[in-house]
Amino acid sequence: MATIAWIGLGHMGGPMSGNLVAAGHEVRGVDPDPACRAAAAEHGVQVVDSIADAVQGADAAFTSLPRGEHVREVLGGAGGVWETAPTTALLLDTSTVDVETSRWSHDQSAARGFRFVDSPVSGGIAGAHAGTLTFMLGGEEAAVAEAAELVEPMAGHVFRVGGPTMGIAAKLANNLMLFVSLLGVSEGSQLAAELGLDAETFFQVASVSSGDSWPLRTWYPVPGVVPTSPANRNFDATFTTVLAQKDLSFAVAAGDVAGLHLPASRIALDQFDQLIDEGYGGKDCSLIVKYASADGSIEGFDPDA
Protein backbone atom coordinates (compact mmCIF):
# COMPACT_ATOMS: atom_id res chain seq x y z
CA MET A 1 0.00 0.00 0.00
CA ALA A 2 1.13 3.55 -0.75
CA THR A 3 1.58 6.67 1.34
CA ILE A 4 -0.40 9.38 -0.39
CA ALA A 5 -0.62 13.15 0.09
CA TRP A 6 -3.94 14.73 -0.83
CA ILE A 7 -4.20 18.50 -1.23
CA GLY A 8 -7.76 19.80 -1.46
CA LEU A 9 -10.42 17.95 0.59
CA GLY A 10 -13.53 19.61 -0.85
CA HIS A 11 -16.66 18.10 -2.41
CA MET A 12 -14.57 15.95 -4.74
CA GLY A 13 -11.24 15.54 -2.97
CA GLY A 14 -12.76 14.58 0.37
CA PRO A 15 -14.63 11.48 -0.75
CA MET A 16 -11.96 10.55 -3.29
CA SER A 17 -9.27 10.50 -0.63
CA GLY A 18 -11.59 8.54 1.64
CA ASN A 19 -11.88 5.84 -1.02
CA LEU A 20 -8.10 5.54 -1.09
CA VAL A 21 -8.12 5.04 2.69
CA ALA A 22 -10.79 2.37 2.31
CA ALA A 23 -8.53 0.61 -0.20
CA GLY A 24 -5.79 0.40 2.44
CA HIS A 25 -3.58 3.36 1.56
CA GLU A 26 -2.24 5.80 4.14
CA VAL A 27 -3.57 9.23 3.14
CA ARG A 28 -2.45 12.55 4.63
CA GLY A 29 -4.70 15.44 3.63
CA VAL A 30 -4.55 19.25 3.65
CA ASP A 31 -7.34 21.80 3.30
CA PRO A 32 -7.90 25.28 4.80
CA ASP A 33 -11.61 24.68 5.41
CA PRO A 34 -12.41 23.23 8.88
CA ALA A 35 -15.58 21.48 7.66
CA CYS A 36 -13.69 19.77 4.82
CA ARG A 37 -10.95 18.74 7.22
CA ALA A 38 -13.44 17.25 9.66
CA ALA A 39 -15.34 15.36 6.97
CA ALA A 40 -12.13 13.87 5.58
CA ALA A 41 -10.98 12.83 9.05
CA GLU A 42 -14.24 10.94 9.54
CA HIS A 43 -13.29 8.84 6.50
CA GLY A 44 -9.86 8.00 7.86
CA VAL A 45 -7.75 10.68 6.21
CA GLN A 46 -4.91 11.88 8.45
CA VAL A 47 -5.49 15.63 8.33
CA VAL A 48 -2.28 17.64 8.68
CA ASP A 49 -1.50 21.34 8.82
CA SER A 50 0.74 21.90 5.80
CA ILE A 51 1.66 20.63 2.38
CA ALA A 52 5.11 19.78 3.75
CA ASP A 53 3.54 17.57 6.42
CA ALA A 54 1.38 15.83 3.83
CA VAL A 55 4.08 15.09 1.27
CA GLN A 56 6.86 13.98 3.65
CA GLY A 57 7.90 10.52 2.46
CA ALA A 58 4.87 10.26 0.17
CA ASP A 59 4.78 7.89 -2.79
CA ALA A 60 2.26 10.11 -4.58
CA ALA A 61 0.67 13.53 -4.19
CA PHE A 62 -2.79 14.35 -5.53
CA THR A 63 -4.19 17.83 -6.01
CA SER A 64 -7.94 18.52 -6.21
CA LEU A 65 -8.36 22.27 -6.43
CA PRO A 66 -10.87 24.82 -7.77
CA ARG A 67 -8.81 26.65 -10.39
CA GLY A 68 -5.51 26.74 -12.25
CA GLU A 69 -4.09 29.50 -10.09
CA HIS A 70 -4.56 27.29 -7.03
CA VAL A 71 -2.73 24.43 -8.73
CA ARG A 72 0.15 26.73 -9.63
CA GLU A 73 0.42 28.02 -6.07
CA VAL A 74 0.22 24.58 -4.46
CA LEU A 75 2.87 23.16 -6.79
CA GLY A 76 5.22 26.11 -7.08
CA GLY A 77 4.57 28.42 -4.15
CA ALA A 78 6.58 28.75 -0.97
CA GLY A 79 6.21 25.55 1.03
CA GLY A 80 4.55 23.92 -1.98
CA VAL A 81 4.86 20.46 -3.43
CA TRP A 82 7.99 21.03 -5.52
CA GLU A 83 9.77 22.60 -2.60
CA THR A 84 8.87 19.98 0.02
CA ALA A 85 8.03 16.64 -1.63
CA PRO A 86 10.56 13.92 -2.49
CA THR A 87 11.21 13.84 -6.23
CA THR A 88 10.32 10.15 -6.20
CA ALA A 89 6.67 11.07 -5.54
CA LEU A 90 4.31 10.81 -8.49
CA LEU A 91 2.25 14.01 -8.88
CA LEU A 92 -1.35 13.75 -10.07
CA ASP A 93 -3.69 16.71 -10.62
CA THR A 94 -7.38 15.83 -10.67
CA SER A 95 -8.48 19.49 -10.99
CA THR A 96 -10.10 20.87 -14.12
CA VAL A 97 -7.69 23.54 -15.35
CA ASP A 98 -6.82 25.28 -18.60
CA VAL A 99 -4.49 23.57 -21.05
CA GLU A 100 -1.69 26.05 -20.40
CA THR A 101 -1.72 25.38 -16.65
CA SER A 102 -1.57 21.65 -17.33
CA ARG A 103 1.33 22.08 -19.75
CA TRP A 104 3.13 24.30 -17.23
CA SER A 105 2.61 21.69 -14.52
CA HIS A 106 4.14 18.98 -16.70
CA ASP A 107 7.07 21.06 -17.89
CA GLN A 108 7.97 22.60 -14.56
CA SER A 109 7.56 19.32 -12.70
CA ALA A 110 9.91 17.59 -15.13
CA ALA A 111 12.45 20.41 -14.83
CA ARG A 112 12.54 19.74 -11.09
CA GLY A 113 12.85 15.97 -11.45
CA PHE A 114 9.20 15.07 -10.77
CA ARG A 115 6.84 12.88 -12.78
CA PHE A 116 3.46 14.51 -13.37
CA VAL A 117 0.17 13.11 -14.72
CA ASP A 118 -2.82 15.29 -15.56
CA SER A 119 -5.65 13.22 -14.08
CA PRO A 120 -9.00 15.02 -14.42
CA VAL A 121 -12.20 13.18 -13.56
CA SER A 122 -15.81 13.05 -14.66
CA GLY A 123 -18.77 11.79 -12.67
CA GLY A 124 -19.42 14.55 -10.17
CA ILE A 125 -19.85 14.45 -6.41
CA ALA A 126 -21.97 11.29 -6.53
CA GLY A 127 -19.24 9.50 -8.48
CA ALA A 128 -16.60 10.73 -6.05
CA HIS A 129 -18.51 9.20 -3.13
CA ALA A 130 -19.34 5.98 -4.95
CA GLY A 131 -15.84 5.43 -6.34
CA THR A 132 -17.18 5.34 -9.90
CA LEU A 133 -15.40 8.33 -11.45
CA THR A 134 -14.01 8.32 -14.97
CA PHE A 135 -10.31 9.20 -14.94
CA MET A 136 -8.55 10.62 -18.01
CA LEU A 137 -4.79 10.26 -17.61
CA GLY A 138 -2.19 12.16 -19.62
CA GLY A 139 1.56 11.97 -19.28
CA GLU A 140 4.61 9.87 -19.94
CA GLU A 141 3.74 6.21 -20.43
CA ALA A 142 5.40 4.80 -17.31
CA ALA A 143 3.98 7.53 -15.06
CA VAL A 144 0.50 7.04 -16.50
CA ALA A 145 0.70 3.29 -15.89
CA GLU A 146 1.58 3.93 -12.24
CA ALA A 147 -1.20 6.52 -11.95
CA ALA A 148 -3.75 4.09 -13.39
CA GLU A 149 -3.09 1.65 -10.55
CA LEU A 150 -3.28 4.36 -7.89
CA VAL A 151 -6.64 5.77 -9.03
CA GLU A 152 -8.38 2.40 -9.33
CA PRO A 153 -10.15 2.57 -5.93
CA MET A 154 -11.78 5.86 -6.95
CA ALA A 155 -12.74 4.86 -10.47
CA GLY A 156 -15.38 3.18 -12.54
CA HIS A 157 -13.35 3.78 -15.70
CA VAL A 158 -9.69 4.66 -16.21
CA PHE A 159 -8.51 5.87 -19.62
CA ARG A 160 -4.89 6.36 -20.62
CA VAL A 161 -5.55 9.01 -23.24
CA GLY A 162 -2.02 9.96 -24.31
CA GLY A 163 0.92 12.18 -23.46
CA PRO A 164 1.14 15.34 -21.37
CA THR A 165 -2.06 17.48 -21.31
CA MET A 166 -4.14 14.82 -23.10
CA GLY A 167 -6.06 14.11 -19.90
CA ILE A 168 -7.19 17.71 -19.54
CA ALA A 169 -7.87 17.87 -23.28
CA ALA A 170 -10.27 14.94 -22.94
CA LYS A 171 -11.95 16.52 -19.92
CA LEU A 172 -12.50 19.89 -21.60
CA ALA A 173 -13.88 18.35 -24.79
CA ASN A 174 -16.16 16.09 -22.73
CA ASN A 175 -17.49 18.97 -20.65
CA LEU A 176 -18.07 21.06 -23.74
CA MET A 177 -20.32 18.27 -25.01
CA LEU A 178 -22.04 18.05 -21.62
CA PHE A 179 -22.98 21.72 -21.48
CA VAL A 180 -24.11 21.94 -25.09
CA SER A 181 -26.26 18.86 -24.42
CA LEU A 182 -27.64 20.54 -21.30
CA LEU A 183 -28.69 23.49 -23.43
CA GLY A 184 -30.66 21.15 -25.70
CA VAL A 185 -32.26 19.36 -22.75
CA SER A 186 -33.29 22.70 -21.24
CA GLU A 187 -34.92 23.94 -24.44
CA GLY A 188 -36.55 20.60 -25.23
CA SER A 189 -38.04 20.28 -21.75
CA GLN A 190 -39.68 23.68 -22.06
CA LEU A 191 -40.99 23.06 -25.56
CA ALA A 192 -42.51 19.76 -24.42
CA ALA A 193 -44.22 21.51 -21.50
CA GLU A 194 -45.59 24.37 -23.62
CA LEU A 195 -46.98 21.88 -26.15
CA GLY A 196 -48.89 20.13 -23.35
CA LEU A 197 -46.82 16.99 -22.87
CA ASP A 198 -46.69 15.38 -19.46
CA ALA A 199 -43.12 15.83 -18.20
CA GLU A 200 -42.67 12.24 -16.99
CA THR A 201 -44.10 10.80 -20.21
CA PHE A 202 -41.88 12.97 -22.41
CA PHE A 203 -38.83 12.11 -20.32
CA GLN A 204 -39.52 8.41 -20.84
CA VAL A 205 -39.80 8.96 -24.58
CA ALA A 206 -36.62 11.02 -24.85
CA SER A 207 -34.57 8.72 -22.62
CA VAL A 208 -35.02 5.80 -25.05
CA SER A 209 -34.93 7.91 -28.21
CA SER A 210 -32.52 10.17 -30.04
CA GLY A 211 -32.90 12.92 -27.45
CA ASP A 212 -31.20 10.82 -24.77
CA SER A 213 -28.12 12.22 -23.01
CA TRP A 214 -26.39 12.24 -19.63
CA PRO A 215 -27.86 15.62 -18.59
CA LEU A 216 -31.34 14.43 -19.59
CA ARG A 217 -31.04 11.31 -17.42
CA THR A 218 -29.33 13.08 -14.50
CA TRP A 219 -30.43 16.73 -14.50
CA TYR A 220 -33.82 16.82 -16.29
CA PRO A 221 -34.85 20.35 -15.26
CA VAL A 222 -38.45 19.69 -14.20
CA PRO A 223 -39.30 18.68 -10.62
CA GLY A 224 -40.45 15.16 -9.84
CA VAL A 225 -39.12 13.45 -12.97
CA VAL A 226 -35.52 12.47 -12.17
CA PRO A 227 -34.54 11.89 -8.51
CA THR A 228 -31.07 13.38 -9.00
CA SER A 229 -32.32 16.55 -10.68
CA PRO A 230 -31.51 19.84 -8.92
CA ALA A 231 -35.00 20.98 -9.98
CA ASN A 232 -36.31 18.88 -7.09
CA ARG A 233 -34.38 21.03 -4.62
CA ASN A 234 -34.78 24.61 -5.90
CA PHE A 235 -31.73 24.07 -8.15
CA ASP A 236 -29.31 23.72 -5.27
CA ALA A 237 -26.03 22.79 -6.86
CA THR A 238 -24.72 19.40 -7.80
CA PHE A 239 -22.45 21.24 -10.27
CA THR A 240 -22.38 24.97 -9.71
CA THR A 241 -22.81 27.50 -12.47
CA VAL A 242 -19.45 29.04 -11.50
CA LEU A 243 -17.68 25.72 -12.09
CA ALA A 244 -19.57 25.09 -15.32
CA GLN A 245 -18.62 28.54 -16.57
CA LYS A 246 -14.98 27.90 -15.67
CA ASP A 247 -14.81 24.55 -17.45
CA LEU A 248 -16.60 25.75 -20.56
CA SER A 249 -14.53 28.93 -20.77
CA PHE A 250 -11.37 26.80 -20.78
CA ALA A 251 -12.80 24.63 -23.56
CA VAL A 252 -13.81 27.64 -25.66
CA ALA A 253 -10.39 29.22 -25.13
CA ALA A 254 -8.73 26.01 -26.33
CA GLY A 255 -11.00 26.10 -29.38
CA ASP A 256 -9.99 29.69 -30.06
CA VAL A 257 -6.32 28.72 -30.03
CA ALA A 258 -7.11 25.92 -32.47
CA GLY A 259 -9.12 28.23 -34.75
CA LEU A 260 -12.36 26.31 -34.26
CA HIS A 261 -15.92 27.61 -34.57
CA LEU A 262 -17.94 26.71 -31.45
CA PRO A 263 -21.19 28.71 -31.63
CA ALA A 264 -23.30 26.38 -29.47
CA SER A 265 -20.65 26.41 -26.75
CA ARG A 266 -20.60 30.19 -26.78
CA ILE A 267 -24.37 30.35 -26.31
CA ALA A 268 -24.15 28.07 -23.28
CA LEU A 269 -21.20 30.09 -21.94
CA ASP A 270 -23.14 33.34 -22.37
CA GLN A 271 -26.03 31.88 -20.39
CA PHE A 272 -23.74 30.76 -17.57
CA ASP A 273 -22.27 34.27 -17.53
CA GLN A 274 -25.77 35.70 -17.31
CA LEU A 275 -26.70 33.43 -14.41
CA ILE A 276 -23.59 34.55 -12.55
CA ASP A 277 -24.39 38.22 -13.28
CA GLU A 278 -27.87 37.66 -11.81
CA GLY A 279 -26.35 36.27 -8.62
CA TYR A 280 -26.96 32.57 -9.29
CA GLY A 281 -23.35 31.43 -9.63
CA GLY A 282 -23.75 29.11 -6.65
CA LYS A 283 -26.90 27.50 -8.05
CA ASP A 284 -26.82 24.43 -10.27
CA CYS A 285 -25.77 24.95 -13.86
CA SER A 286 -29.01 23.34 -15.03
CA LEU A 287 -30.76 26.58 -14.00
CA ILE A 288 -29.94 27.81 -17.51
CA VAL A 289 -33.35 26.27 -18.27
CA LYS A 290 -34.87 29.58 -17.13
CA TYR A 291 -33.63 31.23 -20.32
CA ALA A 292 -35.67 28.79 -22.40
CA SER A 293 -38.94 29.65 -20.66
CA ALA A 294 -41.33 32.23 -22.04
CA ASP A 295 -41.02 34.63 -19.11
CA GLY A 296 -37.94 33.47 -17.18
CA SER A 297 -39.94 31.66 -14.50
CA ILE A 298 -39.34 27.95 -14.02
CA GLU A 299 -41.25 25.24 -12.19
CA GLY A 300 -39.22 24.20 -9.18
CA PHE A 301 -37.32 27.44 -8.77
CA ASP A 302 -38.15 30.11 -6.21
CA PRO A 303 -35.50 32.86 -6.41
CA ASP A 304 -36.50 34.11 -2.96
CA ALA A 305 -36.25 30.77 -1.18
Side-chain angles (χ1 to χ4, degrees), residues 1-291:
M1 293 292 103
T3 299
I4 296 171
W6 195 287
I7 303 159
L9 300 170
H11 293 306
M12 296 293 292
M16 291 166 72
S17 58
N19 284 329
L20 289 176
V21 173
H25 297 293
E26 177 186 347
V27 182
R28 298 194 293 260
V30 180
D31 196 283
D33 184 272
C36 293
R37 291 163 61 91
E42 289 179 3
H43 290 92
V45 175
Q46 300 174 33
V47 177
V48 295
D49 293 328
S50 70
I51 293 171
D53 291 336
V55 301
Q56 183 178 11
D59 300 301
F62 284 82
T63 42
S64 178
L65 300 164
R67 300 187 65 89
E69 54 264 35
H70 303 118
V71 172
R72 290 174 183 256
E73 178 61 25
V74 161
L75 290 178
V81 171
W82 292 334
E83 186 177 288
T84 60
T87 55
T88 52
L90 179 66
L91 310 183
L92 303 92
D93 182 33
T94 68
S95 318
T96 301
V97 299
D98 57 286
V99 173
E100 286 306 313
T101 292
S102 184
R103 183 175 293 112
W104 175 86
S105 299
H106 277 281
D107 291 346
Q108 295 300 315
S109 293
R112 291 163 172 80
F114 289 95
R115 297 162 299 140
F116 181 89
V117 177
D118 50 298
S119 312
V121 298
S122 182
I125 296 171
H129 281 276
T132 57
L133 294 168
T134 295
F135 276 80
M136 295 152 269
L137 306 178
E140 298 300 329
E141 186 174 354
V144 166
E146 185 177 339
E149 292 186 11
L150 278 174
V151 304
E152 197 65 41
M154 303 177 283
H157 304 279
V158 180
F159 292 99
R160 307 180 191 191
V161 295
T165 75
M166 290 300 99
I168 202 65
K171 175 62 186 291
L172 295 180
N174 177 78
N175 277 24
L176 181 151
M177 297 169 75
L178 164 66
F179 297 129
V180 171
S181 297
L182 175 60
L183 195 63
V185 169
S186 297
E187 294 182 1
S189 70
Q190 297 309 293
L191 178 62
E194 287 302 312
L195 295 179
L197 285 162
D198 173 73
E200 174 65 29
T201 300
F202 175 68
F203 169 81
Q204 291 176 359
V205 170
S207 65
V208 295
S209 301
S210 53
D212 187 30
S213 66
W214 189 92
L216 180 132
R217 285 178 270 112
T218 309
W219 289 340
Y220 195 75
V222 176
V225 178
V226 176
T228 54
S229 174
N232 301 327
R233 296 171 293 278
N234 202 39
F235 289 86
D236 288 341
T238 61
F239 197 106
T240 68
T241 297
V242 167
L243 288 179
Q245 191 275 347
K246 179 200 74 169
D247 289 6
L248 189 53
S249 67
F250 291 161
V252 169
D256 287 342
V257 172
L260 301 178
H261 303 287
L262 306 174
S265 303
R266 292 184 183 281
I267 292 171
L269 184 58
D270 287 345
Q271 293 193 359
F272 290 146
D273 286 338
Q274 191 171 345
L275 277 177
I276 292 169
D277 289 345
E278 292 180 25
Y280 300 129
K283 285 292 188 179
D284 196 80
C285 60
S286 59
L287 187 57
I288 66 168
V289 66
K290 77 193 239 21
Y291 300 124

